[in-house]
Amino acid sequence: MSARSAWPDCGEGPLERNINDIRVKICGLREPEHVASAVAAGAAYLGFVFFPKSPRHLDVPIAAPLALSVPPGVAKVALTVDATDDELDSITAAMPIDMLQLHGRESPARVAEIRARYGLPVMKAVGVAGPEDLAALDSYGRVADQLLVDAKPPKDAVLPGGNGLAFDWRLVERKYWPCPWMLAGGLTPFNVAEAIRLTGARQVDVSSGVETAPGRKDSNLIRAFIAAARGAVAA
C-alpha cells in the first residue's frame, strides 16, 4: 500500500485492523510500560517526541530501545519541530522510524524536501483556531502523506502542540483534503467519541489527554481512550 493511501500499512504483523476501525495515535510516550500498554490496547501509531522544550522530549539514545520494542504493524512516529537535517539524520539513523511528524513552522517546500530526503511518510501538523486556518490544510495536503489537524496554540505558548487545547470541531466536520488526516487537540477518553461522531475523523491523536501530569502517561487512561474511540464507531 502506498504512503499516501488512506490506511497506510506500516509493517506487517499480528495487529491487522479492519478498514472501518478508528486508528489511534498515542503520542509523547516515554516509558516502556506505556509503550506496551498502548500496543496491547490496539494503538495504530506510537509517537516519540524529539523537542527539548517539551516535557515529553526524549534523547535519541533513550528513544531507540523504546522504538525497537514496538512490534511490526504499529507505526513508530518521530515528532520534531523545525528540525535540521542533522537532527533528522541522528533520529533516523538510530532507530527504525516509520513516519516523520513535523510540528513546527515547516513550509510546504520543506515538507516535500524532508519527504524526498528520507523516503519516509511525512505527517504535517497544522493548527486550527478559525476558518482562516483551513487553507493551510489544502496546501500541506498536497505535499504531506498525512495531516494532523490540531488546536492552534496561543501566541505565547512554548509548545506547538500537547497543550491540551481543543478547537471548534465543527470547522472540520466531514471535511476532506488531498491526503488522509488525523484529529488532535484536547482529546480525552471522555470526549473523543463525540469528536469522532461530529467530525467523521477516522484517525485520532492524543498526548496530554492520557496523562496525570505533563509528560506522565497513565496506562489506564491510554486503554480508556482507545476503547472510547473504538466505541464511537460501534455506536
Side-chain angles (χ1 to χ4, degrees):
M1 193 175 290
S2 70
R4 292 184 68 84
S5 168
W7 303 104
D9 281 328
C10 295
E12 296 179 358
L15 298 178
E16 295 181 2
R17 294 173 178 81
N18 186 288
I19 195 170
N20 293 318
D21 282 351
I22 292 293
R23 295 169 67 94
V24 176
K25 176 170 172 279
I26 306 295
C27 197
L29 292 160
R30 293 172 48 85
E31 303 292 340
E33 65 178 289
H34 300 138
V35 170
S37 295
V39 170
Y45 307 83
L46 303 184
F48 303 102
V49 175
F50 300 93
F51 182 53
K53 292 182 180 181
S54 170
R56 304 163 189 95
H57 168 72
L58 287 171
D59 291 322
V60 170
I62 295 175
L66 290 179
L68 288 167
S69 74
V70 179
V74 180
K76 301 169 290 294
V77 183
L79 186 158
T80 64
V81 180
D82 299 314
T84 65
D85 286 348
D86 286 345
E87 291 169 332
L88 293 172
D89 287 347
S90 176
I91 294 167
T92 55
M95 66 197 80
I97 291 298
D98 298 303
M99 179 176 288
L100 295 170
Q101 179 178 331
L102 310 182
H103 217 106
R105 298 184 178 181
E106 301 89 355
S107 67
R110 176 60 174 159
V111 172
E113 178 186 358
I114 289 173
R115 188 171 182 266
R117 177 182 174 91
Y118 295 97
L120 290 170
V122 172
M123 178 186 294
K124 179 66 181 87
V126 178
V128 173
E132 67 278 5
D133 298 313
L134 299 180
L137 290 164
D138 288 313
S139 298
Y140 284 109
R142 296 186 181 94
V143 293
D145 297 283
Q146 295 205 42
L147 296 168
L148 184 78
V149 184
D150 201 357
K152 195 171 188 177
K155 291 183 179 180
D156 58 349
V158 174
L159 303 178
N163 294 292
L165 300 175
F167 64 96
D168 185 352
W169 296 322
R170 291 172 297 182
L171 291 169
V172 296
E173 182 177 359
R174 311 293 166 179
K175 289 287 194 298
Y176 300 94
W177 290 284
C179 67
W181 65 282
M182 183 179 293
L183 182 67
L187 297 178
T188 72
F190 308 104
N191 68 10
V192 65
E194 178 187 0
I196 290 168
R197 286 193 292 266
L198 180 60
T199 64
R202 308 305 297 173
Q203 303 190 105
V204 290
D205 173 282
V206 67
S207 185
S208 61
V210 291
E211 293 179 345
T212 56
R216 298 182 63 180
K217 293 290 187 287
D218 181 277
S219 291
N220 289 329
L221 290 174
I222 289 172
R223 287 189 286 266
F225 184 91
I226 294 174
R230 289 182 162 180
V233 175

